Amino acid sequence: MTLRNMLLGATMLCAAATPAIAFAQNAGASDTDYGNEIIVTASKRSQTLQDTPIAVSVASAADIENSQIRDLIDLQSAVPSLRVAQLQSSANTNFIIRGFGNGANNPGIEPSVGVFIDGVYRSRSAAQIGDLPNLERVEVLRGPQSTLFGKNASAGVISIVTQKPQYDFGGSVEATYGNYDAITVKGNVTGPIGENVAFSLGGNFNRRDGYAQDLRLGKDVNDRNRWGVRGQLLFEPTDALSIRLIGDYDKIDENCCIAANVIAGPTVAITDLLAGGTSVDAANPFSYRVYNNFLSSNEIENYGGSAQIDYDLGALALTSITAYREVRADTNQDSDFSGADLIGQKSDDTAINTFTQELRLTSDFDGPVNFLIGGYYFHEKIRQHSQIYFGDDFRPYGNALIQAASGGLLDVPTLEAALGAPNDSFFHAGDGMDEHYRMKNTAWSIFGTLDFGISDRLTLTLGGNYTKDRKRFSTDVISTDVFSGIDLDAAAYTPFREFVLVSSGVDPATAAFLAANPTLTLPDGSSANPLAGLKDFQFLPPFLDVPNSVEPGRVSDGDFSWSARLSYELTDTVNVYATYATGFKAASVNLSRDSRPLAADLPAIVAGGLATPNLVAGTRFAAPEESEVYEAGLKANWSVAALNLAVFKQSIKGFQSNVFTGTGFALANAGKQSTFGIEFDGSVRPVRGLNLNLAVTYLDAKYDSFVASAFGDLSGMKPAGIPDLSVSMGGTYTHEFAGGTRAIAHVDYQYESPTQIVDGLAALPASVAQNLKREVNQLNASFTVALTNGLELGVWGRNLTNARYLTTIFNAVAQSGSVSGYPSQPRTYGVTARFKF
């Protein structure tokens, strides 16, 4: 949200020496010259990527084609500092750079990694993951980028750039067939409409059968089914004025995403019994066999348009980017991931409408001083309707659990009778929660950079951004879970406590005394309240809506982010730089059934008579994140080689942690998380036609302070999910035959050292989570023959090693002791035909 938007498109820094954003593109390099002639465009000037003092990785169109990168999830195989996690649906994807990133699973949580497509910010992951036709490049900017990108770039930026319309008629069409009956078709056509008007029109279709099997339903699952169209018009009525209009629509309709059983807890015996057979493929996460009661659905529509106007005023350039976007995501999932019908529905119907406007003025003076100044406005509306309802098996499942918890003394009918509840009211099929959430977010910022050429080789760049962010939110949540609405500590249940105590063998006088004094314990140390152990089964308690007389349902933040950078040209081919930068991410709102009053507000809520049964403190919103980085780097570009090296210390205060606990999500601010890191990437062409590349990232991360995590005090510990070492290496060899036919062979390899997958697991010993680790070893390859008539034929494979790992794990829903996880995608391969004209 603030500012960041458009700075991608083109004009960003000023000064001939050091733009703050990298816009890399192939500068007319041939297909045999990968990576060394990347050009940065800033203020309508060209500059090599090596001259840009910022840590940025670029995947060109050739890289994307050769590696068969289909979407942002695949991009991590080429950028070792980037990690992309596919979560429980096609609408939930988490982007992490240098170990920092969040934002999925809750529409009120803004991401720490900003994603932009042609300069337009995509505020939520549902708007980011569709396939795009006619890509030109993808840039990954590492570290805080809030000076130019505003409040949602506290960890970094992913910038996707598509090709502009051309005045020469041309285009391409591509068709792919792969295993799992995968069919992908992409096409693009561009050309002139008039002397000063050009167009482009692209489309894509991507369909694949599921690579997993639901043995209960007899269906393939985790399929792929998406398509999209994208049109552009480029008006250039004069040499000084350029207007680029873009409109797009894409649709996803998929069954995603399976969760495998990692640890089989004691409840598996019960779910097997209820399912009448196998309910989970116990402790076999890579069998790709699951058992569900209904197919999970993901229907996502993402559409919008933008207008970018560039006006050349001579020594000044004016740029305006206006955009409006809508996202509609309707998902439903069998979220207990078992053959027992425990959760009959878990649906989320989300609507996001976003308007952005950026205006900036950039100088291009001949003197030592240049500037960029601009403003940014963001307005977003979010509406979500969520529903979670018990399935047909939840009542007998709850009955079995309560009998086990009470040693056979209690069952659900006994509880209903003793507590005065109607018969068949506890855990009734179809009961649960109906939830409505609303949020409006308005933000604006002013920003600028100043470049000062201290000498011909030394440049100082200063930047600043003031952001103001306001959010208003409201909830309307109704729980029909009768059992969760009962206060098991209420004095009205004293007779029931006495009855149970007598039934347990305690003499009547003692039982009466203990029942009247529920804080006392029995001689064996157990609670005098025999119902206390049943509180764990109160899954969906009554909800205190916001706003109310204590909680206004508003949050407002303001922040000034700034950066200072020195860059020095050691030689014509080697540059060094040093940077200090701060970043900011505004407060995030907990738009979920786990939203609870802050501990500081709870006494006033109770005093005001607003408390609902079983109300406890939690999180309505998380405070802002504040990041900073100290970084030094070196960039070099020679005729046959190039390298980039960065050493940094990066930290985020108040990191917004959103952790799944088994029944919901715990949103909390970590005190501080920091990372020391070293990043290297380089390429070399030892002989004509051969290009070798290597990228290595080393990260030493820790929680400096995280006292109130969902799993206790994590201060001093290493955050989960961040490998110490990540490596991406590859090579491309192009051989040109007589007559012009070319053969292109490509191979790349991705490695991540073993790392703990999650910080902890609710109700399980810390050692369980510590022993569950992820290690990645993935090999991709392709071979293409390009004929002189524009036809290309190729074969390819991704994850040829069939590497298997868990992207994330979590407590199985309402199944204490069981752990579920999302397995990686298996080996894929296919053939591709492409025709360029």
Side-chain angles (χ1 to χ4, degrees), residues 34 174 190 212 318 326 353 357 399 446 496 507 788:
Y34 296 104
E174 172 187 317
T190 186
L318 182 66
E326 294 190 4
N353 299 345
Q357 172 64 57
N399 187 68
I446 54 175
F496 178 73
D507 66 272
T788 55

Side-chain angles (χ1 to χ4, degrees), residues 671-722:
K672 184 179 180 181
Q673 179 182 337
S674 63
T675 300
F676 169 78
I678 302 173
E679 296 168 327
F680 169 87
D681 67 83
S683 62
V684 60
R685 286 172 289 180
V687 296
R688 179 177 177 80
L690 177 62
N691 190 82
L692 304 175
N693 61 275
L694 171 67
V696 180
T697 297
Y698 168 77
L699 299 176
D700 181 12
K702 71 173 181 178
Y703 287 122
D704 300 85
S705 175
F706 196 0
V707 176
S709 84
F711 310 109
D713 188 356
L714 298 179
S715 302
M717 299 181 65
K718 176 183 174 64
I722 306 175

Side-chain angles (χ1 to χ4, degrees), residues 281-522:
D281 195 355
N284 192 11
F286 301 113
S287 68
Y288 299 100
R289 297 192 300 265
V290 296
Y291 299 81
N292 291 311
N293 301 111
F294 59 89
L295 290 174
S296 298
S297 61
N298 299 263
E299 297 182 8
I300 304 167
E301 291 181 290
N302 172 39
Y303 47 90
S306 65
Q308 177 170 334
I309 302 173
D310 294 289
Y311 191 61
D312 187 354
L313 301 172
L316 297 173
L318 182 66
T319 297
S320 169
I321 301 181
T322 307
Y324 177 78
R325 302 207 58 81
E326 294 190 4
V327 177
R328 301 293 182 264
D330 189 358
T331 65
N332 188 22
Q333 187 178 52
D334 186 3
S335 60
D336 59 82
F337 302 112
S338 79
D341 186 17
L342 305 183
I343 305 299
Q345 179 176 342
K346 169 60 181 71
S347 62
D348 297 289
D349 187 356
T350 306
I352 304 174
N353 299 345
T354 307
F355 172 80
T356 57
Q357 172 64 57
E358 182 177 10
L359 188 67
R360 63 180 183 267
L361 182 68
T362 308
S363 73
D364 189 12
F365 301 136
D366 291 333
V369 178
N370 275 281
F371 69 87
L372 177 150
I373 188 169
Y376 182 80
Y377 175 78
F378 175 92
H379 182 72
E380 184 169 71
K381 293 181 180 180
I382 296 176
R383 303 188 310 274
Q384 178 162 299
H385 179 206
S386 299
Q387 294 175 304
I388 181 169
Y389 297 131
F390 295 137
D392 289 337
D393 289 338
F394 203 91
R395 180 176 171 87
Y397 176 72
N399 187 68
L401 293 178
I402 288 173
Q403 283 183 318
S406 64
L409 179 65
L410 301 176
D411 58 20
V412 170
T414 299
L415 282 176
E416 289 171 339
L419 298 178
N423 185 43
D424 196 30
S425 61
F426 289 175
F427 312 124
H428 180 75
D431 285 353
M433 267 191 171
D434 188 77
E435 313 157 55
H436 292 268
Y437 306 101
R438 302 286 186 273
M439 186 174 79
K440 290 184 180 180
N441 183 193
T442 301
W444 58 267
S445 65
I446 54 175
F447 58 93
T449 60
L450 179 67
D451 288 2
F452 180 70
I454 300 173
S455 69
D456 290 343
R457 291 185 177 271
L458 181 63
T459 300
L460 171 67
T461 300
L462 301 175
N465 178 324
Y466 178 77
T467 295
K468 186 67 176 179
D469 180 85
R470 293 186 176 91
K471 294 183 176 73
R472 298 180 64 94
F473 57 96
S474 63
T475 69
D476 181 9
V477 179
I478 298 174
S479 173
T480 54
D481 178 1
V482 176
F483 184 64
S484 293
I486 295 176
D487 183 356
L488 298 179
D489 288 327
Y493 305 135
T494 295
F496 178 73
R497 294 191 188 101
E498 184 175 354
F499 165 78
V500 173
L501 288 167
V502 171
S503 300
S504 302
V506 179
D507 66 272
T510 302
F513 175 77
L514 292 174
N517 296 273
T519 59
L520 298 180
T521 58
L522 296 172

Side-chain angles (χ1 to χ4, degrees), residues 102 109-110 471 555-557 584-590 598 619-626 652-657 667-670:
N102 54 24
I109 301 177
E110 300 176 279
K471 294 183 176 73
V555 60
S556 179
D557 305 303
F584 165 72
K585 182 180 131 177
S588 288
V589 177
N590 194 353
L598 299 175
T619 305
R620 293 292 194 192
F621 57 88
E625 294 179 355
E626 295 182 354
I652 291 185
K653 294 181 180 179
F655 179 76
Q656 295 170 1
S657 171
L667 177 63
N669 289 100

Side-chain angles (χ1 to χ4, degrees), residues 185-214:
V185 179
K186 300 175 71 173
N188 179 75
V189 62
T190 186
I193 296 179
E195 182 179 356
N196 300 312
V197 183
F199 82 98
S200 70
L201 181 64
N204 60 281
F205 172 79
N206 190 342
R207 191 209 68 80
R208 185 201 66 211
D209 290 344
Y211 57 78
Q213 291 78 45
D214 191 316

